[in-house]
Amino acid sequence: MLRNLSFARQILPALALIGLAVAVWLVLGGLPDRSTAQPAEQPPKAVGKLANEPRVAGAGIVEPASEIIDIGSALSGLVTDVRVRPGDRVEKGQVLFTVDARAAQASLAQANAAIGEARAAIAEASTAQKTAREQLALYRGLGDPAAVSRAEVIRAEGEEAAATSRLGSARARLAAAQSAAAAARTEIERLVIRAPIAGEILAVNIRPGEFVATQGGGNSQPFIQMGQTNPLHVRVDIDENEVARVALGQPAVVSPRGAAELHVEATFVRAEPQVVPKRSLTNSAAERVDVRVLQLIYALPPSDDFRVGQQIDAFIPAKAPAAKGEQ
Amino acid sequence: MLWIAIRMLTGDAQKFYGLLFGIGFSTLLITQQMTIFVNLVERGASGVYNAPEAEVWVMDPVSRTTDVSYAMPATALDRVRSVKGVEWAVPHLRAVANVRTKDGDLEGVAVIGVDDATLIGLPERMKEGDKSVLFAPDSVVIDDTGTTRFFPPEQSPIGERLELNDQRAVIRGIADAIPSFTSTVVLYTRYSNALNFVPGTRNRLSFVLVGVSEGETPEAVAARIEAATGLQAQTREEFSQAGVNFIIENTGIPTNFGITVFLGFVVGIAIVGLTFSLFLRDNIKQFGALKAIGVTNAKIVQMVAAQAGLVGMIGYALGVIGTVAFIRGFGANPFFKGFYIPWQIPLISLAAVVVILAITGLIAIRSVLKTEPASVFR
């Protein structure tokens, strides 16, 4: 049997079949995997009721309920003291920082000196008036008109009138000095910058020794930023094409960027009356000018997951009739 | 009787191996060329296959493929997210940029910006490093083909610095990606970084990648997106096909490979036909003798068919084995990365082999069938 084994007739066909089987196995095993994969991390998505209902999506940004207040200074000068740090909670009227008040203090001292001077002048004038009046009364009380010359009487009368007017002028000087002092005190008060509302300090960009100019100095940073962060609001941009579909007043589902598994329900606050050009929330270098958006404001429940300035993805219910138009 | 036919066939070793060579060669030519053709045009769809999570691609109505696209306004993302049946949607940026290497060379690269938070849009596997390296500042992930273009083999690209649009970019990982048709170096980075790496135009969002909710089909969701947003939405299959079609329409590749496959077919017919005819003519006396002892024409056709079948089977096997060995052997070459043999192609070449043998066999057998038993005495 072995003697009859032929290469061409037996071994070659067998080898060919085996090779073919191996080739088939390799071909089938080498087919690429073109199936879709599940995302490793969850992207933002509409959940719950919204998943199967008409909805509108928007990107937004977290802001304080009061919006961000850029604290300005009424007067320019050197910062002498900063009383707050970022994260501090302040009451309305609490001192935030103080600006160098030496010039105003000097004017106050000056005004106070002028007050003293005016008071002294009043005392001097009233003494002179008193003396002149006594002398005049003495002359007038004399029975005999010849006892004193007419000229002497006129002089005494003049002295009385002069003293009276000196008193009046001294009183006026006092009033002027007092109001100057009040002005200086107001100035000093204006150099102390206070919190306009109760809230949280979000940023402090000044340090003692720095010069603050009055607000409006180009694109400089605000000195202090604060806002009411309880509650936080989100400002959601809705594409103008979708505005008609939004169901205003309905709560929105909000997820912070990078934590899409969090779904927070935010309550409706208001819609901004104006449709504005979209401010870029996508970190793009250039601003979008061709896209306009409606800004909706929603209030977030108390939570540690959101911070002012953070970007969020929001899903908002759409009006029911729009769903028919969508089909 | 069939065994006699096989003995008859293998008895003339020269012609037998000539036949095997003819069939094997044309199988190899047809299979291998078609495989390379299919893989080459499928490179047009590599961008789609490299983003395995996306079930639907949304783009501007004028966009055609992953590389021929027109950017959309940024709010397109939110409009797509609003559509029912869309489970999730993430931005995807694809753009070309010039990169300056450390040596000062300028090279064109494709920059792909994947979603910042989820990294959807990255190839499924990483060759080196972890996907999370993209969360580091200024980091990019290079594709493995690009590595060979940028760096000598002994140098690891990890940690290398590049300059993109005056921005610093640090390579922190290598992706295991299917190369693109043009084998451009691809840099993957996060969407927000990509916006800085690519010189600014007004609109930047090239694609929105969409995942479909459970219970919805990608086709239905794509149609709904198109109706609701006015943008173009294609399923993964449609969009990969669009990439393939773009290559077929815009290059001479189909003609080129078509000619080669046709030549393989012609060469197969020529060699096999000639050899088979000669072989049968040489053995005409034997067939005559068989006829003389009463073998019918039908039996003779069976005999010739058995001979053709054996030759076809062995030759075909050799050709297919050769192709598999070729693809496997060159798998390490970046040009052949990701090449595979679609299961349809061996079947097509099998059909070609059958056709070759049928044509040549029919031509050759006519003389045998006309042979008279008396010819054995001539």
Side-chain angles (χ1 to χ4, degrees):
Chain A
M1 185 66 205
L2 218 63
R3 191 168 45 86
N4 288 336
L5 203 61
S6 151
F7 177 75
R9 279 191 296 279
Q10 278 132 346
I11 297 175
L12 197 57
L15 280 180
L17 281 178
I18 293 168
L20 203 56
V22 172
V24 165
W25 180 69
L26 284 177
V27 165
L28 293 181
L31 289 181
D33 179 19
R34 297 282 197 241
S35 60
T36 52
Q38 284 300 313
E41 252 181 280
Q42 281 311 304
K45 57 172 93 163
V47 289
K49 229 157 41 88
L50 274 183
N52 292 315
E53 275 179 18
R55 60 178 188 248
V56 175
I61 197 156
V62 179
E63 63 177 24
S66 62
E67 301 187 13
I68 293 179
I69 301 170
D70 294 341
I71 302 289
S73 167
L75 298 170
S76 53
L78 289 178
V79 175
T80 49
D81 192 12
V82 178
R83 305 269 178 88
V84 289
R85 285 191 299 183
D88 284 359
R89 294 209 152 267
V90 294
E91 293 304 316
K92 181 177 179 177
Q94 192 175 329
V95 175
L96 301 177
F97 66 97
T98 57
V99 179
D100 184 12
R102 279 175 301 183
Q105 298 280 15
S107 342
L108 180 60
Q110 218 172 8
N112 282 338
I115 289 172
E117 191 261 351
R119 290 223 168 98
I122 287 170
E124 186 270 335
S126 53
T127 313
Q129 187 194 39
K130 193 170 156 239
T131 314
R133 278 191 183 155
E134 275 172 5
Q135 196 157 24
L136 197 58
L138 183 66
Y139 289 160
R140 292 215 175 116
L142 287 176
D144 181 7
V148 65
S149 72
R150 179 71 194 144
E152 193 69 10
V153 172
I154 290 170
R155 192 192 54 77
E157 276 173 354
E159 261 176 21
E160 195 267 351
T164 305
S165 66
R166 270 217 312 283
L167 185 62
S169 116
R171 285 207 174 109
R173 280 219 305 285
L174 176 64
Q178 275 169 339
S179 59
R185 271 194 292 274
T186 310
E187 192 91 334
I188 291 168
E189 188 54 33
R190 284 173 79 198
L191 288 166
V192 177
I193 285 80
R194 294 171 187 279
I197 57 161
E200 187 179 350
I201 302 298
L202 301 170
V204 175
N205 296 321
I206 46 164
R207 286 145 288 272
E210 286 183 348
F211 184 82
V212 294
T214 46
Q215 193 96 19
N219 51 4
S220 58
Q221 281 183 309
F223 310 130
I224 286 182
Q225 289 184 305
M226 66 170 294
Q228 178 53 270
T229 55
N230 190 24
L232 282 172
H233 280 182
V234 289
R235 183 174 288 264
V236 180
D237 288 351
I238 303 293
D239 189 308
E240 57 183 339
N241 297 308
E242 303 273 77
V243 167
R245 293 183 56 221
V246 178
L248 290 179
Q250 298 286 321
V253 176
V254 171
S255 303
R257 285 278 159 92
E261 67 280 3
L262 277 176
H263 302 283
V264 177
E265 190 167 288
T267 48
F268 181 77
V269 177
R270 65 173 196 276
E272 292 287 350
Q274 210 179 1
V275 172
V276 293
K278 177 171 166 57
R279 197 157 58 99
S280 179
L281 295 178
T282 46
N283 299 329
S284 159
E287 286 209 351
R288 307 275 166 281
V289 287
D290 61 332
V291 181
R292 288 183 166 262
V293 290
L294 174 72
Q295 298 193 316
L296 302 180
I297 316 289
Y298 288 85
L300 289 170
S303 154
D304 288 336
D305 301 318
F306 293 92
R307 305 211 159 255
V308 172
Q310 196 175 13
Q311 292 181 51
I312 53 100
D313 294 298
F315 291 97
I316 303 159
K319 286 177 196 156
K324 280 176 206 146
E326 186 193 281
Q327 294 303 318
Chain B
M1 193 58 71
L2 293 182
W3 190 242
I4 293 173
I6 301 299
R7 287 191 81 99
M8 202 190 278
L9 177 70
T10 53
D12 190 343
Q14 210 176 351
K15 293 211 176 59
F16 175 61
Y17 290 114
L19 284 172
L20 287 191
F21 175 79
I23 293 292
F25 183 73
S26 54
T27 307
L28 179 70
L29 212 55
I30 293 170
T31 317
Q32 191 241 31
Q33 288 297 305
M34 281 178 76
T35 300
I36 292 181
F37 167 70
V38 167
N39 282 286
L40 215 51
V41 295
E42 270 205 4
R43 288 278 149 100
S46 67
V48 180
Y49 294 138
N50 278 335
E53 294 99 344
E55 290 170 272
V56 175
W57 290 64
V58 183
M59 66 210 94
D60 191 272
V62 300
S63 296
R64 294 183 65 185
T65 72
T66 49
D67 300 317
V68 185
S69 64
Y70 187 76
M72 302 176 283
T75 47
L77 175 66
D78 293 324
R79 289 167 63 197
V80 171
R81 277 184 182 163
S82 305
V83 177
K84 191 171 160 250
V86 172
E87 187 180 12
W88 50 261
V90 294
H92 193 69
L93 184 148
R94 299 180 82 94
V96 287
N98 284 323
V99 67
R100 193 185 284 279
T101 61
K102 220 166 57 171
D103 310 330
D105 282 346
L106 210 60
E107 179 111 29
V109 295
V111 173
I112 296 182
V114 301
D115 182 46
D116 282 85
T118 60
L119 304 182
I120 289 175
L122 267 188
E124 198 168 10
R125 286 174 304 277
M126 295 284 284
K127 195 174 163 196
E128 219 170 300
D130 189 78
K131 284 182 180 179
S132 60
V133 294
L134 276 186
F135 290 118
D138 298 335
S139 71
V140 295
V141 165
I142 194 168
D143 71 328
D144 41 3
T145 322
T147 317
T148 57
R149 297 264 301 262
F150 264 4
F151 304 102
E154 68 276 6
Q155 187 188 352
S156 165
I158 305 286
E160 286 295 327
R161 282 185 196 176
L162 304 171
E163 190 188 311
L164 273 161
N165 191 27
D166 293 343
Q167 310 271 327
R168 181 184 80 131
V170 185
I171 299 176
R172 292 212 165 87
I174 304 175
D176 182 6
I178 306 166
S180 69
F181 179 72
T182 49
S183 298
T184 324
V185 182
V186 180
L187 296 177
Y188 295 90
T189 184
R190 287 191 296 146
Y191 189 78
S192 52
N193 285 340
L195 292 174
N196 291 330
F197 289 153
V198 178
T201 49
R202 201 158 49 83
N203 293 330
R204 313 289 286 278
L205 180 66
S206 321
F207 295 100
V208 175
L209 307 187
V210 171
V212 171
S213 305
E214 258 177 61
E216 300 268 3
T217 61
E219 289 78 14
V221 173
R224 212 176 292 149
I225 291 172
E226 288 195 348
T229 62
L231 300 165
Q232 186 188 175
Q234 295 201 348
T235 63
R236 187 181 156 83
E237 289 74 27
E238 285 169 355
F239 200 44
S240 54
Q241 191 57 48
V244 169
N245 290 347
F246 187 81
I247 302 267
I248 292 176
E249 286 161 21
N250 291 284
T251 63
I253 291 180
T255 334
N256 234 321
F257 280 88
I259 290 170
T260 318
V261 169
F262 179 71
L263 283 183
F265 195 72
V266 169
V267 166
I269 289 190
I271 297 182
V272 176
L274 222 60
T275 321
F276 211 40
S277 301
L278 282 177
F279 161 74
L280 288 182
R281 196 152 300 159
D282 282 356
N283 290 307
I284 209 129
K285 282 187 178 155
Q286 281 80 340
F287 283 114
L290 286 172
K291 278 194 169 184
I293 59 171
V295 174
T296 57
N297 267 353
K299 201 75 194 171
I300 285 179
V301 170
Q302 275 183 31
M303 287 172 70
V304 174
Q307 289 169 341
L310 184 72
V311 167
M313 194 264 286
I314 299 175
Y316 172 74
L318 291 179
V320 170
I321 292 166
T323 309
V324 171
F326 176 86
I327 296 296
R328 293 262 153 181
F330 285 95
N333 187 322
F335 176 78
F336 291 106
K337 180 172 166 20
F339 271 28
Y340 69 101
I341 305 174
W343 57 268
Q344 296 92 334
I345 287 178
L347 295 185
I348 292 173
S349 51
L350 179 64
V353 166
V354 170
V355 169
I356 290 172
L357 285 171
I359 292 173
T360 54
L362 283 178
I363 293 170
I365 207 167
R366 280 187 314 179
S367 56
V368 178
L369 294 182
K370 277 187 270 174
T371 306
E372 288 168 22
S375 65
V376 72
F377 303 113
R378 284 179 197 144

